[in-house]
Amino acid sequence: MTKQCRLLATVLACLCLAGCSEKQARSGSGADVEVALFQGGYGIDFFETAAREYESKHPNVKLRVWGNPRIWEQLRPRFVAGTPPDLTWPGWDMDYWSLIYEDQVIPLDEYLATPAYDGKGKWIDAFEPSLMTMGQYDGKRYMLPYFFNVMGWWYNPKLFADHGWSAPKTFEELLALCDKIKAAGIAPITFQGKYPQYVLTGLLYPWAISIGGVEAFNAAQELRPGAWKSQAFLQAAKMIKQLRDRGFFQEGAVGMSHTEAQMEFVGGRAAMIPCGTWLHSEMSKQLPPRFEMQYMPPPIVAGGTGDPTAICIGIEPWVVPSKGKHRDIAIDFYKYLTTPEKAKQFVSEKGTLMSVRGSDQTNIPSYLTGAAAAFRNSKAVWSIQFTQWYPSVGKALENAMTALLNGEATPEQFVRRAEDAAEKVRQDASIPKHRVVRD
């Protein structure tokens, strides 16, 4: 056999194996595939329906889709026992990174290089590129996004129009507007004080980025010495203190849960609130008739070096356990969920943004148009990752923010507490260290 013939035979054999593997994945040969999901505000009905659709196309496959609000508590012992589900989205309570360190979930790069479900291009090309930098460790990609959230501020456009107010674009405009809102007998800003991450994500981090750029925030995430007590974070903390001292935060907000603060907003007693794009879905049953809400980016700091289009996003990651019994079918089902048709359907039915390219072009709810436009127009997408990498630092930031909001800590003390927490982790060689993946 000639060299050329042997090469051709090898190529044909590889194509045959790839085709057989694809056929086996989709035929299933009587496979019983388990999909375990976090059951939150979006429910799991969409995925249950999608599973029945997939089964109709692949009669030898049975998909068992189930969910629970506290699913990670149920899955943790199963991972330990080596009996995890085949595919899971367990919510952010799951310690994803420990699973990665322990090889409990598989890297997905080789699958992303295979054809998409409809055979049109590679699967990785179905996703928004800026969302694919997250969920990576040691050069490999372990998590895949489905829907994602955009963080920012929300206001009632009708309330603003009735009073002749405009959404502020800069911090100076915010201060002037807050004076007018307060004079009208309305709290300018409320927040979910029992969960300080809302203020951190909605105010502190965006303002530090506006002042010093995304790199200033990423330096802090990577625990670089002195990053948490930089001038960018100190000035951002001073801005929060200024809002507090001028009475622009709703009284009692520090003690409010997320739903309590959000009810103050939808009830018209507060004009603005920091939150993610899940706000409308989370409050849908409490919304007054014909209530409107609209997204706006956090007001920027004039003269800052940061990109004014910088926007905070957070993915809802799915993983494939390494000890699942039906890996190929699980991945093929996830490919089905990320087809353009299913992605657009999820946007329409659930009112959130999807990680699949082009999914926000049709049937997007009006309350998401501002967030979708901000994402499309952003030149600097950033995400909070250190709280998963280093939970103790995240908790220290939350406690320090509560102290700042209560007047129990100065801005200088706030950044010092943040830096001290980072230093403890920095010096702990037992904790794996991370770097933010850049585009």
Side-chain angles (χ1 to χ4, degrees):
M1 183 181 290
T2 66
K3 182 179 180 180
Q4 289 82 358
C5 289
R6 286 196 301 270
L7 178 60
L8 178 60
T10 301
V11 172
L12 290 174
C14 290
L15 290 174
C16 180
L17 286 173
C20 290
S21 176
E22 182 74 8
K23 290 178 181 177
Q24 289 170 356
R26 295 197 171 185
S27 67
S29 302
D32 186 1
V33 182
E34 182 184 5
V35 182
L37 307 174
F38 170 68
Q39 190 167 7
Y42 297 118
I44 64 170
D45 57 297
F46 179 89
F47 305 107
E48 291 173 322
T49 300
R52 304 292 81 80
E53 295 168 354
Y54 185 89
E55 289 172 342
S56 70
K57 302 173 187 292
H58 314 290
N60 291 327
V61 174
K62 175 65 178 177
L63 290 165
R64 292 187 294 116
V65 176
W66 66 280
N68 189 280
R70 305 175 72 88
I71 193 170
W72 176 230
E73 295 177 6
Q74 298 170 301
L75 292 182
R76 184 186 290 110
R78 291 184 55 187
F79 273 95
V80 173
T83 59
D86 298 290
L87 176 67
T88 183
W89 161 45
W92 273 112
D93 286 338
M94 171 182 177
D95 187 356
Y96 284 92
W97 295 101
S98 290
L99 294 182
I100 291 172
Y101 305 149
E102 298 166 4
D103 296 321
Q104 291 275 18
V105 294
I106 66 169
L108 296 160
D109 303 83
E110 65 174 289
Y111 293 97
L112 287 164
T114 63
Y117 185 84
D118 58 9
K120 299 177 181 178
K122 294 180 180 179
W123 188 26
I124 192 172
D125 296 332
F127 295 93
E128 289 282 356
S130 61
L131 303 181
M132 299 299 282
T133 60
M134 289 165 279
Q136 296 188 44
Y137 181 68
D138 200 21
K140 298 179 181 178
R141 187 178 285 106
Y142 290 86
M143 307 178 201
L144 289 184
Y146 196 59
F147 63 87
F148 72 97
N149 300 303
V150 173
M151 279 296 299
W153 289 27
W154 299 83
Y155 68 100
N156 181 336
K158 184 177 185 306
L159 176 69
F160 272 49
D162 288 346
H163 288 82
W165 302 330
S166 298
K169 296 181 179 180
T170 67
F171 184 69
E172 289 72 17
E173 290 179 5
L174 173 67
L175 295 177
L177 174 63
C178 285
D179 275 327
K180 296 176 182 178
I181 295 173
K182 189 176 179 181
I186 301 170
I189 304 166
T190 193
F191 57 86
Q192 309 85 336
K194 286 186 177 180
Y195 306 98
Q197 62 266 32
Y198 283 90
V199 175
L200 290 165
T201 306
L203 284 72
L204 184 84
Y205 303 153
W207 286 338
I209 288 171
S210 182
I211 295 163
V214 172
E215 194 55 36
F217 180 63
N218 286 341
Q221 294 207 93
E222 294 177 348
L223 306 182
R224 296 185 203 171
W228 279 109
K229 59 180 182 180
S230 68
Q231 281 300 311
F233 281 99
L234 178 59
Q235 186 177 337
K238 288 180 177 180
M239 292 163 64
I240 293 173
K241 179 180 182 296
Q242 187 175 3
L243 294 176
R244 184 201 71 194
D245 291 347
R246 293 179 64 169
F248 293 157
F249 290 137
Q250 186 175 25
E251 185 176 352
V254 173
M256 292 183 187
S257 69
H258 59 302
T259 52
E260 289 171 338
Q262 289 159 196
M263 276 302 301
E264 294 300 297
F265 169 66
V266 301
R269 294 177 292 277
M272 294 173 285
I273 187 170
C275 198
T277 42
W278 62 82
L279 177 61
H280 190 279
S281 176
E282 193 166 61
M283 302 303 295
S284 60
K285 294 181 181 179
Q286 287 79 35
L287 295 179
R290 294 179 296 280
F291 179 83
E292 297 179 10
M293 64 174 68
Q294 191 55 264
Y295 171 92
M296 70 177 190
I300 64 171
V301 180
T305 62
D307 189 324
T309 70
I311 191 170
C312 176
I313 59 96
I315 65 171
E316 295 288 339
W318 292 53
V319 293
V320 179
S322 57
K323 296 181 181 178
K325 297 179 180 178
H326 303 288
R327 179 182 303 176
D328 289 342
I329 302 173
I331 290 172
D332 196 58
F333 176 56
Y334 198 64
K335 283 185 176 183
Y336 176 68
L337 291 175
T338 55
T339 58
E341 295 75 20
K342 298 308 296 180
K344 290 177 181 178
Q345 183 183 350
F346 196 88
V347 171
S348 179
E349 291 184 10
K350 300 301 180 180
T352 189
L353 300 174
M354 284 290 292
S355 63
V356 177
R357 285 182 173 183
S359 56
D360 65 348
Q361 301 300 313
T362 57
N363 299 323
I364 186 168
S366 60
Y367 54 84
L368 281 181
T369 55
F375 176 73
R376 284 196 301 270
N377 296 330
S378 64
K379 299 176 183 177
V381 173
W382 57 278
S383 184
I384 302 162
Q385 302 178 71
F386 77 94
T387 54
Q388 283 282 319
W389 298 339
Y390 317 116
S392 63
V393 179
K395 188 62 179 177
L397 264 291
E398 291 181 12
N399 292 339
M401 178 52 66
T402 298
L404 178 64
L405 292 168
N406 277 330
E408 298 168 354
T410 65
E412 291 78 8
Q413 290 170 331
F414 170 84
V415 296
R416 190 178 309 122
R417 288 172 63 170
E419 182 65 23
D420 288 346
E423 178 63 16
K424 288 182 180 179
V425 175
R426 194 182 297 129
Q427 297 300 325
D428 190 337
S430 69
I431 301 176
K433 304 305 190 290
H434 292 258
R435 291 289 178 265
V436 176
V437 178
R438 274 71 169 178
D439 290 335

